[in-house]
Amino acid sequence: MSETITLVRSRPFSPAILAKFSGGIILAVLLFFLVLPTLIVIPMSFGSASYIEFPPSGLTLDWYGKFLTDPAWISATLFSLRIAIATTVSATIIGTLAAIALVRGDIPGKSLILGLSLSPLIVPQIIMAIALYLLFSPLQLTGNFFGFLLAHTMLTVPYVVISVSAALQRFDPILEMAALNCGAGRSRAFFEVVLPQILPGVITGAVFAFVSSFDEATVSFFISGVGGKTITRKLFEDINFSLTPVIAVVSSLIVCVSILLMGAVRIAQNKVTS
Amino acid sequence: MSSVEVTDSARGTATRLARRTLATGTAGKYPPFLTVMLLLPLLLILFFGFLYPVGRMLIGSFFDPDFTFHNYIRMFTEPLYVKILARTLWIAFVSTMGAFVLGYPVAYGMARASGSVALWIGACVLIPLWTSVLVRSYAWIVLLQRNGIINNILVESGIVDQPLKLIYNNGAVVVAMTHVLLPFMILPIYSSLRSIPKELPQAAANLGAGNITTFLKVILPLSLPGVFAGSLMTFILALGFYITPALVGGPQTLMMATLIGQQATVLINWPFAGALAMVLLVVTLVLAFLFRRVLSAYGGFGSV
């Protein structure tokens, strides 16, 4: 038996090995295609030339300095961060409450409400962007923090509803019943029994809400204003008008934040399942 | 140790108590008033942030200022707009096909791999999914532009004398959109491949089928629900793309989303923008409906 194995191994052009080998190469090329256009912005952000070149002829941190000392970039970054944090809080609370009602509630038409709450994921973003722009511009709400909070909460709440519903379906309602029967009030039963059990779903939803709000570009593009511009709106404008390496810096920061948060969610979920 | 016992006995009591409540028929259900209160914030956000603005815009498409179908007649009679709708559908279709051809092997490899290899493949799929569309579109500009990376490689290796015009055309839009959409194709196919019982391909092999026969007759048909789900999701998303075509496309690659944006903000023709939005929405909803029908025909969302 071992002889046959060595025999197969010693024949480099055996069809099975060749198939496996070429399959591996195809897969590697496809994975390269997937990640290259995402990660290539990172080495470019350290390039010393004042235009985009690859590979960079020299390395420098100048563009990071330019980003950190440019008031327009800093105010756009802070504006986006403020919106993303506020959106995360509101979408997580609203989505968690709604998911509980949709999974456990006792009212007719639940599937209709579920469908409605997920519809911002299906309706093209350009339609929501233009509709909100039409609503906001006469009210002077473009570039307004609360306008963004409303829009981004609407856009990100479906993620929270989905992930919290999934967590609730794995959670045994009998435990909550027991807490209620043992004399705990609804809110005490929720905070001490239900919430700890569904926490991974809540955290996943919250992180997804944060990243989608911070990254969101189409709606932000239309409802930004002179006074309030998100980082994605500023990025879009600069890509169209001045392709300096500062754009690579901003892109790299966005990529790193996304990857770090993605890793954090994975670790949180592993801790719970192990 | 003792705490575990306490928890276990508590759980036992809890279960007994709950059984008693279950018998009354309202177990685990939140009362209607509380349910409505919990749903209220969501319904308010959806009304003011979604239903009211979108509804107002769509209704506005029928008034100019009196009730009229003028905007819809214009949309379907002026060759330019019909052409833009056709181009949008065509680019979405080609990008979906591209995502299928490139995505299926990745999903297959991810489903077959184990341990750290599967983890790495998963990371390669999820990193782009989690990264802004804007950043990835920018990266494609860097790759495809006149003095970009691909042109530098082609010129320096002597394959071409002059840099090629790779960007601001339909091809660039399709390539960048395919890349952005790939994870949405890979993940559903991956889960349908994962749900195929391992015994089935083994049985096929035992009955004498080769690798290719097993793939074509067993694995591919069983993964079709994932392929349909991924394709329709990709297609629906592709129809509404704004950022990528706006950045890597040129004047000749105008699509529905860009046209809607132009009509609303540059030409300030709200009723016509509303009519275009309605057409795009109806196409999307018809596809989403088909999506559900196809899924239920193949065993529902559970199979995907």
Side-chain angles (χ1 to χ4, degrees):
Chain A
M1 195 61 199
S2 67
E3 223 173 327
T4 12
I5 289 168
T6 33
L7 196 69
V8 171
R9 279 204 183 136
S10 66
R11 282 170 52 200
F13 295 113
S14 119
I17 288 183
L18 201 66
K20 205 172 175 186
F21 185 68
S22 52
I25 288 187
I26 291 171
L27 186 60
V29 169
L30 290 174
L31 293 178
F32 191 67
F33 174 75
L34 262 168
V35 288
L36 179 78
T38 316
L39 299 182
I40 199 159
V41 294
I42 295 172
M44 283 183 332
S45 67
F46 297 107
S48 55
S50 61
Y51 52 92
I52 294 297
E53 55 162 9
F54 194 89
S57 50
L59 297 178
T60 174
L61 281 172
D62 285 1
W63 305 109
Y64 282 82
K66 285 238 161 55
F67 166 74
L68 289 171
T69 51
D70 184 338
W73 274 116
I74 292 304
S75 74
T77 309
L78 293 178
F79 188 59
S80 278
L81 275 176
R82 273 172 53 214
I83 293 166
I85 291 168
T87 299
T88 306
V89 173
S90 68
T92 306
I93 294 172
I94 293 171
T96 304
L97 297 180
I100 292 171
L102 289 171
V103 174
R104 293 284 153 73
D106 193 15
I107 51 161
K110 277 201 299 188
S111 61
L112 191 73
I113 297 173
L114 180 68
L116 181 66
S117 72
L118 300 185
S119 49
L121 295 182
I122 298 167
V123 172
Q125 293 208 333
I126 182 70
I127 294 179
M128 296 183 280
I130 295 295
L132 286 166
Y133 174 73
L134 170 65
L135 179 72
F136 287 173
S137 53
L139 300 171
Q140 314 274 304
L141 273 177
T142 48
N144 179 282
F145 175 80
F146 290 101
F148 268 104
L149 183 59
L150 175 68
H152 278 193
T153 304
M154 178 269 291
L155 287 170
T156 57
V157 89
Y159 298 120
V160 182
V161 172
I162 290 173
S163 67
V164 176
S165 302
L168 272 169
Q169 258 135 23
R170 285 192 298 269
F171 167 65
D172 191 348
I174 282 174
L175 294 176
E176 189 192 0
M177 297 296 304
L180 291 176
N181 279 337
C182 290
R186 281 250 172 231
S187 60
R188 191 163 169 216
F190 174 75
F191 283 107
E192 292 189 15
V193 178
V194 182
L195 189 59
Q197 293 288 323
I198 60 169
L199 203 57
V202 177
I203 292 173
T204 308
V207 173
F208 232 101
F210 183 89
V211 174
S212 353
S213 167
F214 195 74
D215 271 0
E216 201 282 320
T218 310
V219 172
S220 298
F221 179 79
F222 285 98
I223 64 171
S224 280
V226 187
K229 208 181 263 184
T230 60
I231 191 165
T232 46
R233 165 74 192 238
K234 173 110 176 82
L235 199 54
F236 190 98
E237 284 173 358
D238 280 37
I239 292 172
N240 264 342
F241 297 115
S242 60
L243 265 176
T244 68
V246 178
I247 296 168
V249 169
V250 179
S251 302
S252 305
L253 292 174
I254 292 179
V255 170
C256 290
V257 168
S258 304
I259 292 175
L260 284 176
L261 286 172
M262 186 181 102
V265 164
R266 216 194 140 74
I267 290 166
Q269 284 175 336
N270 275 356
K271 269 205 175 130
V272 171
T273 47
S274 65
Chain B
M1 194 58 206
S2 66
S3 72
V4 173
E5 278 160 28
V6 169
T7 323
D8 275 343
S9 80
R11 203 181 273 252
T13 321
T15 315
R16 270 197 303 283
L17 282 167
R19 293 262 153 72
R20 204 180 302 158
T21 330
L22 271 172
T24 66
T26 55
K29 287 282 184 209
Y30 279 50
F33 178 72
L34 182 62
T35 309
V36 171
M37 292 312 286
L38 291 176
L39 279 172
L40 201 59
L42 176 80
L43 294 176
L44 286 175
I45 286 282
L46 284 176
F47 182 78
F48 287 108
F50 179 65
L51 288 177
Y52 173 67
V54 171
R56 201 175 80 137
M57 176 177 71
L58 295 179
I59 290 168
S61 68
F62 293 104
F63 292 90
D64 204 10
D66 294 315
F67 184 83
T68 173
F69 285 112
H70 167 77
N71 292 303
Y72 291 89
I73 294 166
R74 185 177 169 208
M75 159 79 226
F76 287 108
T77 49
E78 280 191 34
L80 174 68
Y81 301 128
V82 178
K83 210 170 137 190
I84 291 171
L85 179 63
R87 180 191 294 136
T88 307
L89 290 166
W90 175 243
I91 287 182
F93 176 74
V94 176
S95 309
T96 304
M97 285 290 111
F100 168 68
V101 170
L102 301 179
Y104 199 99
V106 178
Y108 188 73
M110 198 165 142
R112 294 271 304 244
S114 56
S116 63
V117 178
L119 207 66
W120 276 105
I121 301 176
C124 289
V125 176
L126 290 177
I127 288 172
L129 181 68
W130 277 64
T131 305
S132 175
V133 172
L134 201 55
V135 171
R136 291 189 276 159
S137 305
Y138 163 65
W140 278 108
I141 297 178
V142 171
L143 286 163
L144 295 174
Q145 67 183 328
R146 196 177 159 77
N147 54 355
I149 298 164
I150 292 174
N151 265 325
N152 280 351
I153 293 171
L154 288 175
V155 172
E156 272 169 35
S157 61
I159 295 171
V160 294
D161 302 328
Q162 290 282 314
L164 302 175
K165 193 181 180 316
L166 299 173
I167 199 167
Y168 307 126
N169 52 37
N170 282 334
V173 174
V174 167
V175 169
M177 275 176 57
T178 301
H179 176 257
V180 171
L181 292 166
L182 255 174
F184 297 101
M185 178 69 88
I186 293 172
L187 293 173
I189 297 180
Y190 165 74
S191 28
S192 72
L193 282 170
R194 280 294 293 238
S195 67
I196 298 174
K198 289 215 165 38
E199 293 78 15
L200 291 178
Q202 278 170 8
N206 282 340
L207 292 171
N211 281 340
I212 294 170
T213 316
T214 308
F215 177 76
L216 290 178
K217 298 233 159 143
V218 180
I219 296 174
L220 186 63
L222 286 173
S223 65
L224 281 183
V227 173
F228 282 129
S231 302
L232 277 162
M233 195 193 280
T234 310
F235 193 81
I236 286 171
L237 287 170
L239 284 178
F241 258 44
Y242 179 79
I243 299 290
T244 308
L247 289 177
V248 300
Q252 285 86 41
T253 60
L254 198 64
M255 287 170 68
M256 284 296 278
T258 328
L259 182 65
I260 295 172
Q262 266 184 10
Q263 290 292 332
T265 59
V266 182
L267 303 169
I268 327 274
N269 189 345
W270 284 106
F272 190 55
L276 295 170
M278 180 75 104
V279 172
L280 185 62
L281 185 65
V282 168
V283 173
T284 307
L285 291 181
V286 166
L287 283 164
F289 179 72
L290 281 177
F291 172 78
R292 291 195 56 157
R293 284 293 293 271
V294 169
L295 280 187
S296 55
Y298 279 90
F301 271 98
S303 65
V304 181

